[in-house]
Amino acid sequence: MTRQVDSAARRIAELGAVVDAVREVSAADGVEGACRALVKAAARAVPCAEIFFVALASEETGDLAVAASTGLISPEFRFGRAPHGRGLWGRAAAQLLPVRTGQYATDRSFEHDEILDGACRADGVVSAMCAPLVVGGTAIGAVFTNGRAVDMFDEGDMTRLAEIAYAAAPVIRRAASLARVEAAISGIAATRNRLTRSVAVHDDLLVRILHGAGRAEVIDTIVGTCDGAVAALGVDAADRAVATAPEDSALDPLRDRWILDGIADVRRTEGTVLVEHGDGFALFVPATAAGQYVGTVLTVFRRAVDDADIRAVQRLVTLFALVAVRRLDPVEGPGRGIDAYQVRSLLTAVGPVTDDARARLVRLGFDFGVDRVLAVAALPPRSDPEQVAGVLRADRPASDVVLVIDHRVVILAADDAAQGVADADAVAEAVRRRAGVALLVCSTVVRDPLAGGLADALRAADAAVGLLQSLGRTSGAFDVDEFPAHLPLLRSVTVDSVVRFLDNTIGPVVEFDRHGSSELVRTLQVFFAENMNTAATARTLDLHPNTIIKRLRRVTDLLGPRWQGGPESLAIRIALNLHGLAHGTGID
């Protein structure tokens, strides 16, 4: 009777252990967590074992791979794979029953495998037990216990391990199925995000093409935005390379036979071609417009290529074809038809020009060694900047670049005095004559373009335009390099502040001139320009020195006795400069 009670108590304890194991496995997070919980349950069920691990079978091959373990030492065991049909796993999977051996190396009841035997030797395995994880009549994996002595496990150990494995198998299967569903959903979301991004990239690039970007920009965009793309090459209908990214790419259709073979396959099949190349793949996409073949774009990936990659590249290749058909790339001749988008990026960038940007523009015909002048033209509020830009493009040499940036026309011209292309007066006169629009134009010399001089020139000219507009100027031509050195400091001053400053400084003199003909403002401008020399001022104005003395006395009456020295003198000089810019009365 006592023996029966003890047996029932043990059985209840064993069933309780199975229930605990299922509860722990069910509460675990993901497949890996469930397998770790099952390893712990197996360790409690067979405490004499030294090594425990759970391995799951591949759906494609049936080979086992360790998912969780404790006690494994050798990397051969921890990271190896058990081939389908071999070892204890092969016998357990075939019979759907647990199996055990007291001496693994000499047991011939199952088929041995050289790799498995080597892993067991590396980890010192002698005794072993395998309980399959069976779901729906199929073994999806197994729970293993190993030991380093002979005959370590008995029938009771195998029964307890088998019960835990049988109860936990459906939980493991559900966790694996859920993981596959989550991975599929994640993959769908990632693909959707990539497609959405490719559409946005396409739309952005289309806008840039309409502003002058060429085939090189399309190829750069493919490498810069397609994940995994490491190089790209664009060829025309004659198989000649017209654009390569990055600049140091070794892709060369004249040298590499495999590139010509891929292009030939594109022509033959009239479709996209994907081939293995190195450690990744090469994608050849034909560029066609209205059914006409205009070239091919090759993209090299360092990984496998999926449908989302192909669609993203195909979408961008349509723009490559558009550029080829519309002939938006530069025509032959140094500096002619420079890619306007690339120049715009130079004008708006901060810091030195990158090597890639420099090489790309040099390839397109932009000469960084040519002296250049940049002019900014501010237009009346209701005028059309594109119309004015069109007038200037028609009036200027092809080497000039004319852009519209923030409702202002920007002209980048070669500094050739014989042609007059750098002269702000010529810009203003051409637009006034051809379009009937009065411009406010400021020009400046570009210094050290490779160090960011183009962007510096644009900021200087634009700041000068803003300063003149704050003074009330709406037309006229100005050389920024001739501005007094202190004027750039006033670019952040408000219009009201400038007006108050002028009124408080030279306002009485301006008002006096308004009601008479003494020209005190002009006299003061010349007086300061001649270093306050009365005789020199008289000679410049072609007046008698006594006349100058009388005018200066009148200025003293209006401004006070200290206007010729100290802070008052500096303020009056600045005010006279501002007044000259505002009213066109400055000293040339």
Side-chain angles (χ1 to χ4, degrees), residues 345-346 349-355 357-358 368 448-453 455-456 459:
S345 68
L346 287 180
V350 177
V353 178
T354 64
D355 291 340
R358 180 196 57 77
F368 281 92
D448 200 356
L450 287 175
D456 293 340
R459 285 191 291 270

Side-chain angles (χ1 to χ4, degrees), residues 135-200:
V135 179
T138 302
I140 63 170
V143 185
F144 290 83
T145 61
N146 294 342
R148 296 183 175 93
V150 177
D151 292 330
M152 290 185 63
F153 310 121
D154 58 22
E155 196 69 28
D157 295 328
M158 190 166 66
T159 299
R160 291 192 300 274
L161 186 66
E163 288 179 338
I164 291 175
Y166 182 80
V171 181
I172 300 290
R173 165 57 67 86
R174 283 196 299 271
S177 299
L178 180 60
R180 285 193 296 271
V181 170
E182 290 176 345
I185 293 174
S186 177
I188 292 172
T191 299
R192 185 178 64 249
N193 291 338
R194 286 162 58 197
L195 292 175
T196 301
R197 187 177 65 162
S198 73
V199 171

Side-chain angles (χ1 to χ4, degrees), residues 466-541:
L467 175 61
L468 292 169
Q469 287 177 322
S470 71
L471 295 171
R473 291 303 297 262
T474 59
S475 63
F478 298 86
D479 185 349
V480 177
D481 300 315
E482 296 296 327
F483 276 22
H486 57 262
L487 290 186
L489 300 176
L490 302 175
R491 67 181 60 171
S492 61
V493 177
T494 64
V495 176
D496 290 341
S497 298
V498 173
V499 172
R500 286 195 302 271
F501 173 71
L502 292 176
D503 287 344
N504 294 336
T505 309
I506 61 172
V509 176
V510 174
E511 188 66 21
F512 187 88
D513 277 354
R514 186 176 293 119
H515 297 287
S517 57
S518 58
E519 296 187 349
L520 294 184
V521 171
R522 177 67 172 171
T523 302
L524 282 177
Q525 290 173 332
V526 176
F527 181 67
F528 282 115
E530 297 292 352
N531 295 318
M532 296 190 291
N533 186 306
T534 303
T537 302
R539 286 194 299 269
T540 300
L541 294 177

Side-chain angles (χ1 to χ4, degrees), residues 33-93:
C35 290
R36 285 198 299 268
L38 184 54
V39 166
K40 293 179 181 179
R44 293 195 300 268
V46 189
C48 63
E50 299 169 289
I51 300 171
F52 305 88
F53 64 95
V54 174
L56 300 181
S58 166
E59 291 187 357
E60 291 79 17
T61 64
D63 295 349
L64 280 189
V66 175
S69 65
T70 181
L72 290 181
I73 298 175
S74 67
E76 293 90 344
F77 224 134
R78 187 179 299 125
F79 304 111
R81 298 180 70 87
H84 178 66
R86 306 288 181 87
L88 290 182
W89 159 243
R91 181 176 164 191

Side-chain angles (χ1 to χ4, degrees), residues 112-134:
H112 283 260
D113 178 82
E114 183 178 348
I115 296 178
L116 282 179
D117 290 352
C120 289
R121 285 194 299 271
D123 232 32
V125 172
V126 178
S127 297
M129 221 170 19
C130 170
L133 300 170
V134 180

Side-chain angles (χ1 to χ4, degrees), residues 444-457:
T444 184
V445 175
V446 177
R447 294 177 174 83
D448 200 356
L450 287 175
L454 286 164
D456 293 340

